[in-house]
Amino acid sequence: MTVYLLDPFLIDYSGHCYNYLECVRHALRRRNIEAQIIGNELCNIEIRQHGVRGVFSKSALKPVKHKIRYSITKYLKSIFNPQKYDDAETFKENFKSFMEYTKSNEKDIIFINSLRPGQFLGLALWFQDQDLSKCPKIVLVLHFTSRLKNWSGYIYTKQYREAFDLCKEAHNLNRLIILADTEELISEYRKLGAPSIHLAPIPDFWKVNENPNLEQKQNDNDSTIIISFVGQARRDKGFYLLPTIIKNLNQYISCNKIRFFIQTGPLNKLDYRGLVTIEKLKELNAQIIDASLNACDYYDFIESSDIILLPYVGFPYRSQSSGVFAEALSRGKIIVAPFDTWMGKQLMSFDLKCRKNNHSYSDKSSEIVSNIKEIIENYEINKYKFQIVAKNWRSLNNIENLIDNVLAPYS
């Protein structure tokens, strides 16, 4: 038996694609189970050197635009036939090529971490052409919501409904197990017709860097509280709110009580708003790391932080999880996130600081600033609370629990 670990978006160390699958591969090999990671054909030399095979075409990386101004004709076609409009057919052909490449059979398991709704529909279409008794067993983790405030929400809903309907036979024959990593997503998928769906633990993929080269704190006696943001320069991640947040905390910065570190990947030269935001952050004396981090440097960055700032404001994050949140919480780091996100709900469930406000996007920074001030004023107490919660979090969200889900077809 071989377990194939698939992620069509995997091209480098950025995000959580590689860390997630490497963690699963390592845990499977500890159980003497052969595991291979399959990514996108554009995956770079660094992760190829770690045994990643690039199979999926680069078309898998491109999300389809579902906006009327993008194409009225394509949008209207998508209403009546979402299979031909989206990347469903493309992914179906990609997956067919993967099967031919690996020659996997009914004894193998294919673990897929993250598919867009259209790609999930493509997988469901692939099932229709197969002799299910000879198919490998597929474990699929879904991460994306359909509840979006634009045309994509309508298309995603339609795709999910059709995919769940087409997958019922494969599910009934134990050839497909569907997982999601938040209760909110599970509830949503069930309403869309999911035959059966289970909660996937979010594993702690922590790695220790023996030679750290990111030193937020100069020495162990440094009492300055390090507040860090890590992620892409995107609106839904609240990146553009950072200058306002930092400016409103200047009273703590000026007396060296807190210090900000901002890590984001290299920006496109055409990303004017992102570049302007970076310049504003530099003027506010925030430390900028505008480069992707490998696994060890990323974890060292989190470990060297005292507070992790997640000012997420995008509608999807009301039900979607955050890998940064899971990794930081598992290490007992203090986390600041808006109340109306999945992360905020988790903090509230643990009775941790998360002020409930109803701010618009333009004023969401006020909620974040208020939470940070409360935490700073009672820092040691809050630090202790998060460390206690971390133990409970790790007892449920760990790699062994996830592996039990992956191997569920044989249990």
Side-chain angles (χ1 to χ4, degrees), residues 124-135:
L125 292 172
W126 175 85
F127 269 122
Q128 305 310 299
D129 300 333
Q130 308 304 311
D131 178 352
L132 293 178
S133 65
K134 297 180 180 180
C135 285

Side-chain angles (χ1 to χ4, degrees), residues 81-107:
N81 193 349
Q83 295 180 17
K84 293 183 179 179
Y85 172 69
D86 202 272
D87 44 8
E89 289 292 343
T90 300
F91 186 81
K92 176 185 174 182
E93 293 305 313
N94 266 215
F95 195 77
K96 181 180 178 181
S97 298
F98 157 76
M99 292 296 293
E100 293 172 351
Y101 174 78
T102 58
K103 296 181 172 58
S104 58
N105 55 46
E106 66 276 9
K107 296 180 180 180

Side-chain angles (χ1 to χ4, degrees), residues 12 35 110 119 163 183 189 194 207 263 306 336 373 382 393:
D12 54 28
I110 298 175
Q119 293 172 326
E183 294 286 0
Y189 296 149
K207 292 182 179 180
Q263 185 279 325
D306 298 305
V336 177
K373 286 182 176 180
N382 282 293
W393 176 266

Side-chain angles (χ1 to χ4, degrees), residues 32-51:
N32 296 317
I33 298 173
E34 175 59 26
Q36 298 180 19
I37 298 179
I38 307 294
N40 194 277
E41 65 182 2
L42 296 180
C43 62
N44 65 23
I45 187 64
E46 289 180 292
I47 62 173
R48 286 181 185 271
Q49 290 175 343
H50 286 85

Side-chain angles (χ1 to χ4, degrees), residues 195-397:
S196 179
I197 191 162
H198 309 282
L199 183 66
I202 306 175
D204 176 5
F205 352 113
W206 205 259
K207 292 182 179 180
V208 177
N209 185 3
E210 296 178 355
N211 299 294
N213 56 25
L214 293 171
E215 298 183 2
Q216 282 110 306
K217 290 202 172 184
Q218 296 179 353
N219 57 67
D220 294 336
N221 296 321
D222 188 352
S223 61
T224 302
I225 298 171
I226 300 300
I227 303 177
S228 298
F229 171 93
V230 54
Q232 296 175 324
R234 289 176 7 208
R235 180 185 186 278
D236 60 345
K237 290 185 178 291
F239 181 77
Y240 306 127
L241 297 177
L242 292 176
T244 302
I245 292 171
I246 295 175
K247 186 176 181 179
N248 286 319
L249 291 167
N250 187 58
Q251 65 190 90
Y252 299 101
I253 297 173
S254 60
C255 64
N256 205 35
K257 191 164 187 176
I258 65 173
R259 191 178 179 193
F260 280 88
F261 277 75
I262 310 298
Q263 185 279 325
T264 187
L267 297 183
N268 188 305
K269 293 182 179 179
L270 298 178
D271 183 3
Y272 176 76
R273 190 177 183 185
L275 294 171
V276 169
T277 301
I278 289 291
E279 290 305 312
K280 289 181 179 179
L281 291 170
K282 290 179 178 178
E283 291 173 2
L284 293 167
N285 294 319
Q287 300 299 307
I288 308 297
I289 302 172
D290 54 353
S292 298
L293 304 178
N294 63 33
C296 288
D297 284 344
Y298 167 78
Y299 292 122
D300 184 64
F301 182 84
I302 298 293
E303 183 64 26
S304 300
S305 304
D306 298 305
I307 298 174
I308 299 297
L309 179 57
L310 302 175
Y312 294 0
V313 294
F315 197 76
Y317 285 108
R318 294 188 179 185
S319 54
Q320 292 178 187
S321 65
S322 162
V324 177
F325 174 90
E327 291 162 351
L329 186 58
S330 72
R331 310 313 298 175
K333 300 299 177 180
I334 297 174
I335 298 171
V336 177
F339 171 81
D340 61 352
T341 61
W342 173 80
M343 295 78 72
K345 293 174 184 175
Q346 297 301 304
L347 296 179
M348 290 293 288
S349 70
F350 291 123
D351 194 28
L352 297 172
K353 288 290 182 184
C354 187
R355 180 186 292 272
K356 180 177 179 180
N357 288 324
N358 295 311
H359 294 292
S360 63
Y361 174 83
S362 61
D363 196 33
K364 182 66 72 172
S365 57
S366 297
E367 177 183 345
I368 299 296
V369 170
S370 296
N371 283 327
I372 292 176
K373 286 182 176 180
E374 287 188 20
I375 288 171
I376 292 173
E377 295 300 330
N378 300 281
Y379 177 70
E380 292 301 328
I381 293 176
N382 282 293
K383 181 179 179 180
Y384 175 76
K385 285 183 177 180
F386 273 87
Q387 290 173 346
I388 295 298
V389 167
K391 296 179 181 179
N392 296 329
W393 176 266
R394 290 196 300 268
S395 68
L396 298 174
N397 293 282

